[in-house]
Amino acid sequence: KLFIKDLWFEKVPVRIYQPKAPSASQRRGVMFFHGGGWVFGSLETHEKLCRSIARESESVVVSVGYRLAPEHKYPAAYEDCLNATIHFMKNAEHYGVDPANVIVCGDSAGGNLAAAVSHTLAGRTDLPKLRAQILIYPGLQALDFNLPSYQQNQGVPLLFRECAAFYMLQYLNGNASNLEEVLEGSHVPIDIKLNYRKWLSPDNIPEKFKVRGYKPHVLLDCTTKAYETVKRFCEPSLCPLLAEDAIVHQLPESFILTCEYDVLRDDGLLYKKRLEDNGVRVTWYHLEDGFHGIINSFNSGWLSFSAGKRGLDNIVNFLKSL
């Protein structure tokens, strides 16, 4: 049911999935950024997922093979995703896509990249506005690895708390020498933490998500040396949760999927609140029985989870509603 083709957008490899059935009007286009902690993942690992999204929502899907860490540090992945998206928006009609109906989408690290691209494009006047962003259990900040979901799910596969911090550091610096400080929270000075507290506080997370073994974390100060190596964690194109209200206010309609058993759950919940506080329309879908990475297992034979299929169905329904 699909034409599938490998292309290059600028210098970035992409795989495009186009429905074969003729369409009376221009289709919507979905820019898809795969997960894998900025370190793993490829066009292949998310092939089934992209096919399903293209087929079931009758959209043109462009999967982006961005450069990976640690060989290519931040902002390489972000720049690849941004450049591929801009290229597609400028040439959308060539693929039968309405330039005003382009959506960015990604899971995990890909959700981070989708949010970052969304922020950058929000202020551009030379391109049509993005129609929506779809963030599937995104990782959106690196200042606090002791939020309730990080404590509750620190040993839950497929993403352990330590791995989440490790991948973030791989993406940032190409090494993880500051892992201990990052995990305990002594990598960012207290005054900076307090500055971001209004957006990043556990107080912004609904109480029902804290009942399962959460203990408030003591704020630790940090050495200048530690902060020097990680200060780019405060850049919104690396940690989109820290963008200013003026930007968040301009973001497109959003879909956020979170899973209960996922260290990144609270990143999604905090971002949902930020978007809503800024008047952005949010569709939130929470998988009570979900864990990190479940969407990619919706159709893997012996290892299939019905929650993954439910999550995917909701993403498709959201796309069809646009």
Side-chain angles (χ1 to χ4, degrees), residues 130-216:
L130 283 174
R131 179 65 185 85
Q133 56 174 352
I134 297 176
L135 312 178
I136 305 166
Y137 33 72
L140 299 169
Q141 58 86 31
L143 297 198
D144 190 350
F145 287 90
N146 291 285
L147 291 167
S149 61
Y150 269 111
Q151 292 186 25
Q152 295 159 344
N153 304 310
Q154 56 184 324
V156 178
L158 300 167
L159 183 64
F160 302 126
R161 171 172 172 263
E162 203 166 285
C163 295
F166 174 82
Y167 292 144
M168 222 7 151
L169 282 165
Q170 288 285 330
Y171 179 37
L172 173 69
N173 286 330
N175 73 58
S177 52
N178 294 86
L179 188 60
E180 285 311 310
E181 289 112 321
V182 169
L183 285 169
E184 68 181 19
S186 62
H187 60 309
V188 176
I190 283 187
D191 56 330
I192 291 178
K193 273 195 207 128
L194 292 173
N195 181 37
Y196 288 122
R197 195 109 182 140
K198 58 185 183 287
W199 300 330
L200 200 54
S201 164
D203 299 345
N204 293 342
I205 295 163
E207 286 306 313
K208 66 172 188 173
F209 291 105
K210 298 179 206 168
V211 286
R212 199 163 45 91
Y214 163 63
K215 293 186 180 65

Coordinates of all heavy atoms in Angstrom, one line a residue, residues 130-216:
L130 N 4.0 24.9 11.6 CA 3.8 23.4 11.8 C 2.3 23.2 12.2 O 1.8 24.0 13.0 CB 4.7 22.9 12.8 CG 6.2 22.6 12.4 CD1 7.0 22.2 13.7 CD2 6.3 21.5 11.4
R131 N 1.7 22.2 11.7 CA 0.3 21.9 12.1 C 0.2 21.3 13.5 O -0.7 21.6 14.2 CB -0.3 20.9 11.1 CG -1.7 20.5 11.3 CD -2.7 21.7 11.2 NE -4.0 21.4 11.6 CZ -4.5 21.4 12.8 NH1 -3.7 21.7 13.9 NH2 -5.8 21.1 13.1
A132 N 1.2 20.5 13.9 CA 1.1 19.8 15.2 C 2.5 19.2 15.6 O 3.3 19.1 14.7 CB 0.0 18.8 15.2
Q133 N 2.6 18.9 16.8 CA 3.8 18.0 17.3 C 3.3 16.8 18.0 O 2.3 17.0 18.8 CB 4.8 18.9 18.1 CG 4.2 19.5 19.3 CD 5.3 20.2 20.2 OE1 6.5 20.1 19.9 NE2 4.8 21.0 21.2
I134 N 3.9 15.7 17.8 CA 3.5 14.4 18.5 C 4.7 13.9 19.2 O 5.7 13.6 18.6 CB 3.0 13.4 17.4 CG1 1.7 13.9 16.7 CG2 2.8 12.0 18.1 CD1 1.2 12.9 15.6
L135 N 4.6 14.0 20.5 CA 5.8 13.6 21.4 C 5.4 12.3 22.1 O 4.5 12.3 23.0 CB 6.1 14.8 22.4 CG 6.1 16.2 21.8 CD1 6.4 17.2 22.8 CD2 7.2 16.3 20.7
I136 N 6.1 11.3 21.8 CA 5.9 9.9 22.4 C 7.0 9.7 23.5 O 8.1 9.6 23.1 CB 6.0 8.9 21.3 CG1 5.0 9.2 20.1 CG2 5.7 7.5 21.8 CD1 5.3 8.4 18.8
Y137 N 6.5 9.6 24.7 CA 7.4 9.6 25.9 C 8.7 10.3 25.7 O 9.8 9.7 25.7 CB 7.6 8.1 26.4 CG 7.7 7.0 25.4 CD1 8.7 6.8 24.5 CD2 6.6 6.1 25.3 CE1 8.8 5.8 23.6 CE2 6.6 5.0 24.4 CZ 7.7 4.9 23.6 OH 7.8 3.9 22.6
P138 N 8.6 11.6 25.5 CA 9.9 12.4 25.2 C 10.7 12.7 26.4 O 10.2 12.7 27.5 CB 9.3 13.7 24.7 CG 8.0 13.9 25.4 CD 7.4 12.5 25.6
G139 N 12.0 12.8 26.2 CA 12.9 13.3 27.2 C 13.2 14.7 27.0 O 13.7 15.1 25.9
L140 N 12.8 15.6 27.9 CA 12.8 17.0 27.6 C 13.6 17.9 28.5 O 13.7 19.1 28.4 CB 11.3 17.5 27.7 CG 10.4 16.8 26.7 CD1 8.9 17.2 27.1 CD2 10.7 17.2 25.3
Q141 N 14.3 17.3 29.5 CA 15.2 18.1 30.4 C 16.3 17.2 31.0 O 16.1 16.0 31.1 CB 14.3 18.7 31.5 CG 13.6 17.8 32.4 CD 14.4 17.2 33.6 OE1 15.3 17.9 34.1 NE2 14.1 16.0 34.0
A142 N 17.3 17.9 31.5 CA 18.4 17.2 32.1 C 18.9 17.8 33.4 O 20.0 17.6 33.8 CB 19.6 17.1 31.1
L143 N 18.0 18.6 34.0 CA 18.4 19.3 35.2 C 18.1 18.5 36.4 O 18.7 18.5 37.5 CB 17.7 20.7 35.4 CG 18.0 21.8 34.3 CD1 17.6 23.1 34.8 CD2 19.5 21.8 33.9
D144 N 17.0 17.6 36.3 CA 16.5 16.9 37.5 C 16.2 15.5 37.2 O 15.2 15.1 36.5 CB 15.3 17.6 38.0 CG 14.8 17.0 39.4 OD1 15.4 16.0 39.8 OD2 13.9 17.6 40.0
F145 N 17.1 14.6 37.6 CA 16.9 13.1 37.4 C 16.4 12.5 38.7 O 16.6 11.3 38.9 CB 18.2 12.5 36.9 CG 18.6 12.8 35.5 CD1 19.4 13.9 35.2 CD2 18.1 12.0 34.5 CE1 19.7 14.2 33.9 CE2 18.4 12.3 33.1 CZ 19.2 13.4 32.9
N146 N 15.7 13.3 39.5 CA 15.1 12.8 40.8 C 13.7 13.2 40.9 O 13.1 13.2 41.9 CB 15.9 13.4 42.0 CG 17.3 12.8 42.0 OD1 17.5 11.6 42.4 ND2 18.3 13.5 41.6
L147 N 13.1 13.5 39.7 CA 11.6 13.7 39.7 C 10.9 12.3 40.1 O 11.5 11.3 40.1 CB 11.1 14.0 38.3 CG 11.6 15.4 37.8 CD1 11.4 15.6 36.3 CD2 10.8 16.5 38.5
P148 N 9.6 12.4 40.5 CA 9.0 11.2 41.0 C 9.1 10.0 40.0 O 9.5 8.9 40.5 CB 7.5 11.6 41.1 CG 7.6 13.0 41.4 CD 8.8 13.6 40.7
S149 N 8.9 10.2 38.7 CA 9.0 9.1 37.8 C 10.4 8.5 37.7 O 10.6 7.3 37.5 CB 8.5 9.5 36.4 OG 9.3 10.5 35.9
Y150 N 11.4 9.3 37.9 CA 12.8 8.8 37.9 C 13.1 8.0 39.1 O 13.8 7.0 39.1 CB 13.8 10.0 37.9 CG 14.2 10.4 36.5 CD1 13.8 11.6 35.9 CD2 15.0 9.5 35.7 CE1 14.1 11.9 34.6 CE2 15.3 9.9 34.4 CZ 14.9 11.1 33.9 OH 15.2 11.4 32.6
Q151 N 12.5 8.3 40.3 CA 12.7 7.5 41.5 C 11.9 6.2 41.4 O 12.4 5.1 41.7 CB 12.2 8.3 42.7 CG 13.1 9.5 43.0 CD 12.7 10.2 44.3 OE1 12.1 9.6 45.2 NE2 13.0 11.5 44.4
Q152 N 10.6 6.3 41.0 CA 9.7 5.2 41.0 C 10.1 4.1 40.0 O 10.0 2.9 40.2 CB 8.3 5.6 40.7 CG 7.7 6.5 41.7 CD 6.5 7.3 41.2 OE1 6.3 7.5 40.0 NE2 5.7 7.9 42.1
N153 N 10.7 4.5 38.8 CA 10.9 3.6 37.7 C 12.4 3.4 37.4 O 12.7 3.0 36.3 CB 10.1 4.1 36.5 CG 8.7 4.3 36.7 OD1 8.0 3.4 37.3 ND2 8.1 5.4 36.4
Q154 N 13.2 3.7 38.4 CA 14.7 3.8 38.0 C 15.2 2.5 37.5 O 16.2 2.4 36.8 CB 15.5 4.3 39.2 CG 15.3 3.5 40.5 CD 16.1 4.1 41.6 OE1 17.2 4.7 41.4 NE2 15.5 4.1 42.8
G155 N 14.6 1.3 37.9 CA 15.1 0.0 37.4 C 14.1 -0.7 36.5 O 14.2 -1.9 36.3
V156 N 13.2 0.1 35.9 CA 12.2 -0.5 35.0 C 12.8 -0.5 33.5 O 13.2 0.5 33.0 CB 10.9 0.3 35.0 CG1 9.9 -0.3 34.0 CG2 10.3 0.3 36.4
P157 N 12.8 -1.7 32.9 CA 13.2 -1.7 31.5 C 12.2 -1.0 30.6 O 11.1 -0.9 31.1 CB 13.2 -3.2 31.1 CG 12.9 -4.0 32.3 CD 12.4 -3.0 33.4
L158 N 12.5 -0.4 29.5 CA 13.7 -0.6 28.7 C 14.7 0.6 29.0 O 15.7 0.6 28.4 CB 13.3 -0.6 27.3 CG 12.4 -1.8 26.8 CD1 11.9 -1.5 25.4 CD2 13.2 -3.1 26.9
L159 N 14.3 1.5 29.9 CA 15.2 2.7 30.1 C 15.4 2.9 31.6 O 14.5 3.4 32.3 CB 14.5 3.9 29.5 CG 15.4 5.2 29.6 CD1 16.7 5.1 28.8 CD2 14.6 6.4 29.1
F160 N 16.6 2.5 32.0 CA 16.9 2.7 33.5 C 17.3 4.2 33.7 O 17.7 4.9 32.8 CB 18.1 1.8 33.9 CG 17.8 0.4 33.7 CD1 18.7 -0.4 33.0 CD2 16.7 -0.2 34.2 CE1 18.4 -1.8 32.7 CE2 16.4 -1.6 34.0 CZ 17.3 -2.3 33.3
R161 N 17.1 4.6 34.9 CA 17.4 6.0 35.3 C 18.9 6.4 34.9 O 19.1 7.4 34.3 CB 17.2 6.2 36.8 CG 17.7 7.6 37.3 CD 17.2 7.7 38.8 NE 17.8 8.9 39.4 CZ 18.9 8.9 40.1 NH1 19.5 7.7 40.4 NH2 19.4 10.0 40.6
E162 N 19.8 5.5 35.2 CA 21.2 5.8 34.9 C 21.5 5.9 33.4 O 22.2 6.7 33.0 CB 22.0 4.7 35.5 CG 23.5 5.0 35.8 CD 24.2 4.0 36.7 OE1 23.9 4.0 37.9 OE2 25.0 3.3 36.1
C163 N 20.8 5.1 32.7 CA 20.9 5.1 31.2 C 20.4 6.4 30.6 O 21.0 7.0 29.7 CB 20.2 3.9 30.5 SG 20.8 2.3 31.0
A164 N 19.3 6.9 31.2 CA 18.7 8.1 30.6 C 19.7 9.3 30.8 O 19.9 10.1 29.9 CB 17.4 8.5 31.4
A165 N 20.4 9.4 32.0 CA 21.4 10.4 32.2 C 22.6 10.2 31.3 O 23.2 11.1 30.8 CB 21.8 10.4 33.7
F166 N 23.0 8.9 31.2 CA 24.2 8.5 30.4 C 24.0 9.0 28.9 O 24.9 9.6 28.3 CB 24.4 7.0 30.5 CG 25.5 6.5 29.6 CD1 26.8 6.5 30.0 CD2 25.2 5.9 28.4 CE1 27.8 6.0 29.2 CE2 26.2 5.4 27.5 CZ 27.5 5.5 27.9
Y167 N 22.8 8.7 28.4 CA 22.5 9.0 27.0 C 22.5 10.5 26.8 O 23.1 11.0 25.8 CB 21.2 8.5 26.5 CG 21.1 7.0 26.4 CD1 20.0 6.3 26.7 CD2 22.2 6.2 26.0 CE1 19.9 4.9 26.6 CE2 22.2 4.9 25.9 CZ 21.0 4.2 26.2 OH 21.0 2.8 26.1
M168 N 22.0 11.3 27.7 CA 21.9 12.7 27.6 C 23.4 13.3 27.6 O 23.7 14.2 26.8 CB 21.2 13.2 28.9 CG 20.2 14.3 28.8 SD 19.6 15.1 27.3 CE 18.1 15.6 27.7
L169 N 24.2 12.7 28.4 CA 25.6 13.1 28.4 C 26.4 12.7 27.2 O 27.2 13.5 26.7 CB 26.4 12.6 29.7 CG 26.0 13.3 31.0 CD1 26.5 12.4 32.2 CD2 26.7 14.7 31.0
Q170 N 26.1 11.6 26.7 CA 26.7 11.1 25.4 C 26.3 12.1 24.3 O 27.2 12.5 23.5 CB 26.2 9.7 25.0 CG 26.7 8.6 25.8 CD 28.2 8.3 25.5 OE1 28.6 8.4 24.4 NE2 28.9 7.8 26.5
Y171 N 25.1 12.5 24.3 CA 24.6 13.5 23.2 C 25.3 14.8 23.4 O 25.7 15.5 22.5 CB 23.1 13.6 23.3 CG 22.4 14.5 22.4 CD1 22.8 14.7 21.1 CD2 21.3 15.2 22.8 CE1 22.2 15.5 20.2 CE2 20.6 16.1 21.9 CZ 21.1 16.3 20.6 OH 20.4 17.1 19.7
L172 N 25.4 15.3 24.7 CA 25.9 16.6 25.0 C 27.4 16.6 24.7 O 27.9 17.5 24.0 CB 25.6 17.0 26.4 CG 26.3 18.3 26.9 CD1 25.7 19.5 26.2 CD2 26.2 18.4 28.4
N173 N 28.2 15.7 25.3 CA 29.6 15.8 25.4 C 30.4 14.7 24.7 O 31.6 14.7 24.5 CB 30.1 15.8 26.8 CG 29.9 17.1 27.5 OD1 29.9 18.2 26.8 ND2 29.6 17.1 28.8
G174 N 29.6 13.6 24.3 CA 30.3 12.4 23.8 C 31.0 11.6 24.8 O 31.7 10.7 24.6
N175 N 30.8 12.0 26.1 CA 31.3 11.1 27.2 C 30.4 11.3 28.4 O 29.6 12.2 28.5 CB 32.8 11.4 27.5 CG 33.0 12.7 28.3 OD1 32.4 12.9 29.4 ND2 33.8 13.6 27.7
A176 N 30.6 10.4 29.4 CA 29.7 10.5 30.6 C 30.5 10.7 31.9 O 30.1 10.1 32.9 CB 28.8 9.2 30.6
S177 N 31.5 11.4 31.8 CA 32.4 11.6 33.0 C 31.7 12.2 34.2 O 32.0 12.1 35.3 CB 33.7 12.3 32.7 OG 33.4 13.5 32.0
N178 N 30.6 13.0 33.9 CA 29.9 13.7 35.0 C 28.7 12.9 35.4 O 27.8 13.5 36.1 CB 29.4 15.1 34.5 CG 30.6 16.0 34.2 OD1 31.1 16.0 33.2 ND2 31.0 16.8 35.2
L179 N 28.6 11.6 35.1 CA 27.3 10.9 35.4 C 26.9 11.0 36.9 O 25.7 11.2 37.1 CB 27.5 9.4 35.0 CG 26.2 8.6 35.0 CD1 25.2 9.1 34.1 CD2 26.5 7.1 34.7
E180 N 27.8 10.8 37.8 CA 27.4 10.8 39.2 C 26.8 12.2 39.6 O 25.8 12.2 40.3 CB 28.6 10.5 40.1 CG 29.0 9.0 40.1 CD 27.9 8.1 40.3 OE1 27.1 8.3 41.3 OE2 27.7 7.2 39.5
E181 N 27.5 13.3 39.2 CA 26.9 14.6 39.6 C 25.5 14.8 39.0 O 24.7 15.3 39.6 CB 27.9 15.7 39.1 CG 29.1 15.8 39.9 CD 30.4 15.4 39.0 OE1 30.3 14.5 38.2 OE2 31.4 16.1 39.2
V182 N 25.4 14.4 37.7 CA 24.1 14.6 37.1 C 23.0 13.8 37.8 O 21.9 14.3 38.0 CB 24.2 14.1 35.6 CG1 22.8 14.1 34.9 CG2 25.1 15.1 34.8
L183 N 23.3 12.5 38.2 CA 22.3 11.7 38.8 C 21.9 12.3 40.2 O 20.7 12.3 40.6 CB 22.8 10.3 39.0 CG 22.8 9.5 37.7 CD1 23.5 8.1 37.9 CD2 21.4 9.2 37.2
E184 N 22.9 12.8 40.9 CA 22.5 13.3 42.3 C 22.0 14.8 42.2 O 21.5 15.3 43.2 CB 23.7 13.2 43.2 CG 24.9 14.1 42.9 CD 26.1 13.9 43.9 OE1 26.1 12.8 44.6 OE2 26.9 14.8 43.9
G185 N 22.2 15.4 41.0 CA 21.7 16.8 40.9 C 22.7 17.8 41.3 O 22.3 19.0 41.6
S186 N 24.0 17.5 41.3 CA 25.0 18.5 41.7 C 25.8 19.0 40.5 O 26.9 19.3 40.6 CB 26.0 17.9 42.7 OG 26.7 16.8 42.2
H187 N 25.1 19.0 39.3 CA 25.7 19.5 38.1 C 25.3 20.9 37.7 O 25.8 21.4 36.7 CB 25.5 18.5 37.0 CG 24.0 18.3 36.6 ND1 23.1 18.0 37.6 CD2 23.3 18.4 35.4 CE1 21.9 17.9 37.0 NE2 22.0 18.1 35.7
V188 N 24.3 21.4 38.4 CA 23.8 22.8 38.0 C 23.6 23.6 39.3 O 23.1 23.1 40.3 CB 22.4 22.6 37.4 CG1 21.8 24.0 37.1 CG2 22.5 21.8 36.1
P189 N 24.1 24.8 39.3 CA 24.0 25.6 40.5 C 22.6 25.8 41.0 O 21.7 25.9 40.2 CB 24.7 27.0 40.1 CG 25.4 26.7 38.9 CD 24.8 25.5 38.2
I190 N 22.5 26.0 42.3 CA 21.1 26.1 43.0 C 20.4 27.3 42.4 O 19.2 27.2 42.1 CB 21.3 26.2 44.5 CG1 21.5 24.8 45.1 CG2 20.0 26.8 45.1 CD1 21.5 24.6 46.5
D191 N 21.0 28.4 42.2 CA 20.3 29.6 41.7 C 19.6 29.3 40.3 O 18.5 29.8 40.0 CB 21.2 30.9 41.7 CG 22.4 30.7 40.8 OD1 22.9 29.5 40.7 OD2 22.9 31.7 40.2
I192 N 20.4 28.6 39.5 CA 19.8 28.3 38.2 C 18.6 27.3 38.3 O 17.6 27.4 37.7 CB 20.9 27.7 37.2 CG1 21.9 28.8 36.9 CG2 20.3 27.1 36.0 CD1 23.0 28.3 36.0
K193 N 18.8 26.3 39.2 CA 17.7 25.4 39.5 C 16.5 26.1 40.0 O 15.3 25.8 39.5 CB 18.1 24.3 40.5 CG 18.8 23.1 40.0 CD 18.9 22.0 41.0 CE 20.1 21.2 40.7 NZ 21.0 20.9 41.8
L194 N 16.7 27.0 40.9 CA 15.5 27.8 41.5 C 14.9 28.6 40.4 O 13.6 28.8 40.3 CB 16.0 28.6 42.6 CG 16.4 27.9 43.9 CD1 17.0 28.8 44.9 CD2 15.3 27.1 44.5
N195 N 15.6 29.1 39.5 CA 15.1 29.9 38.4 C 14.2 29.0 37.5 O 13.1 29.5 37.0 CB 16.3 30.4 37.5 CG 15.8 31.2 36.4 OD1 14.9 32.0 36.5 ND2 16.5 31.1 35.2
Y196 N 14.5 27.8 37.3 CA 13.7 26.9 36.5 C 12.6 26.1 37.3 O 11.8 25.4 36.7 CB 14.6 25.9 35.7 CG 15.4 26.5 34.6 CD1 16.7 26.4 34.6 CD2 14.7 27.2 33.6 CE1 17.5 27.0 33.5 CE2 15.4 27.8 32.5 CZ 16.8 27.7 32.5 OH 17.6 28.3 31.5
R197 N 12.6 26.3 38.6 CA 11.8 25.6 39.5 C 10.3 25.8 39.1 O 9.5 24.9 39.2 CB 12.0 26.0 40.9 CG 11.4 25.1 41.9 CD 12.5 24.4 42.7 NE 11.9 23.5 43.6 CZ 12.3 22.2 43.9 NH1 13.4 21.8 43.2 NH2 11.7 21.5 44.8
K198 N 10.0 27.0 38.6 CA 8.6 27.3 38.3 C 8.0 26.3 37.2 O 6.8 26.1 37.1 CB 8.4 28.7 37.8 CG 9.3 29.1 36.6 CD 9.1 30.6 36.3 CE 9.9 31.1 35.1 NZ 11.4 31.1 35.3
W199 N 9.0 25.7 36.4 CA 8.5 24.8 35.3 C 8.9 23.4 35.6 O 8.3 22.5 35.0 CB 9.2 25.2 34.0 CG 8.9 26.6 33.5 CD1 7.8 27.3 33.7 CD2 9.8 27.4 32.7 NE1 7.9 28.5 33.1 CE2 9.1 28.6 32.5 CE3 11.1 27.3 32.2 CZ2 9.7 29.7 31.8 CZ3 11.6 28.3 31.5 CH2 10.9 29.5 31.3
L200 N 9.9 23.2 36.5 CA 10.5 21.9 36.7 C 10.2 21.3 38.0 O 10.9 20.3 38.4 CB 12.0 22.0 36.4 CG 12.7 20.8 36.0 CD1 12.1 20.1 34.8 CD2 14.2 21.1 35.7
S201 N 9.3 21.9 38.8 CA 9.1 21.4 40.2 C 8.2 20.2 40.2 O 7.2 20.1 39.5 CB 8.5 22.6 41.0 OG 8.0 22.0 42.2
P202 N 8.5 19.3 41.1 CA 7.5 18.1 41.3 C 6.1 18.6 41.8 O 5.2 17.9 41.6 CB 8.2 17.3 42.5 CG 9.6 17.7 42.5 CD 9.7 19.1 42.0
D203 N 6.1 19.9 42.3 CA 4.8 20.5 42.7 C 3.8 20.6 41.4 O 2.6 20.6 41.6 CB 4.9 21.9 43.3 CG 5.8 21.8 44.5 OD1 6.0 20.7 45.1 OD2 6.3 22.9 45.0
N204 N 4.4 20.6 40.3 CA 3.6 20.7 39.0 C 3.1 19.4 38.5 O 2.4 19.3 37.5 CB 4.4 21.4 37.9 CG 4.7 22.8 38.2 OD1 4.1 23.4 39.1 ND2 5.7 23.4 37.5
I205 N 3.4 18.3 39.3 CA 3.0 17.0 38.8 C 1.8 16.6 39.7 O 1.9 16.7 40.9 CB 4.2 16.0 39.0 CG1 5.3 16.4 38.0 CG2 3.7 14.5 38.7 CD1 6.6 15.7 38.3
P206 N 0.7 16.1 39.1 CA -0.5 15.7 39.9 C -0.1 14.7 41.0 O 0.7 13.8 40.8 CB -1.4 15.1 38.8 CG -1.0 15.7 37.5 CD 0.5 16.0 37.6
E207 N -0.8 14.9 42.1 CA -0.5 14.1 43.3 C -0.5 12.6 43.1 O 0.2 11.8 43.6 CB -1.4 14.5 44.5 CG -1.1 15.8 45.1 CD 0.3 15.9 45.6 OE1 0.8 15.0 46.3 OE2 1.0 17.0 45.3
K208 N -1.5 12.2 42.2 CA -1.7 10.7 42.0 C -0.5 10.1 41.5 O -0.3 8.8 41.6 CB -2.9 10.5 41.2 CG -2.8 10.9 39.7 CD -4.0 10.4 38.9 CE -3.7 10.7 37.4 NZ -4.7 10.2 36.6
F209 N 0.4 10.8 40.8 CA 1.6 10.3 40.3 C 2.8 10.1 41.3 O 3.9 9.7 41.0 CB 2.1 11.1 39.1 CG 1.2 11.0 37.9 CD1 0.4 12.0 37.5 CD2 1.1 9.8 37.1 CE1 -0.5 11.9 36.5 CE2 0.3 9.7 36.1 CZ -0.6 10.7 35.7
K210 N 2.5 10.6 42.5 CA 3.6 10.6 43.6 C 3.4 9.6 44.6 O 4.2 9.4 45.5 CB 3.7 12.0 44.2 CG 4.0 13.1 43.2 CD 4.1 14.4 44.0 CE 3.8 15.6 43.0 NZ 3.6 16.8 43.7
V211 N 2.2 8.9 44.6 CA 1.9 8.0 45.7 C 2.9 6.8 45.8 O 3.1 6.3 46.8 CB 0.4 7.5 45.7 CG1 -0.5 8.6 46.0 CG2 0.1 7.0 44.3
R212 N 3.4 6.4 44.6 CA 4.2 5.2 44.6 C 5.7 5.5 45.0 O 6.5 5.8 44.1 CB 4.1 4.7 43.2 CG 4.5 3.2 43.0 CD 4.0 2.7 41.6 NE 4.2 3.5 40.4 CZ 5.2 3.4 39.6 NH1 6.2 2.6 39.9 NH2 5.2 4.1 38.5
G213 N 6.0 5.5 46.3 CA 7.4 5.6 46.7 C 8.2 6.8 46.2 O 9.3 6.6 45.7
Y214 N 7.7 8.0 46.4 CA 8.5 9.2 46.0 C 8.9 10.0 47.2 O 8.1 10.2 48.2 CB 7.6 10.1 45.1 CG 8.2 11.5 45.0 CD1 9.4 11.7 44.4 CD2 7.5 12.7 45.5 CE1 10.0 13.0 44.3 CE2 8.0 13.9 45.4 CZ 9.3 14.1 44.8 OH 9.8 15.4 44.7
K215 N 10.2 10.3 47.3 CA 10.7 11.2 48.4 C 11.3 12.4 47.8 O 12.2 12.3 46.9 CB 11.8 10.4 49.1 CG 11.4 9.2 49.9 CD 12.5 8.6 50.7 CE 12.1 7.4 51.5 NZ 11.7 6.3 50.6
P216 N 10.8 13.6 48.3 CA 11.4 14.9 47.7 C 12.9 14.9 47.8 O 13.5 14.4 48.8 CB 10.8 15.9 48.6 CG 9.5 15.3 49.1 CD 9.8 13.8 49.2

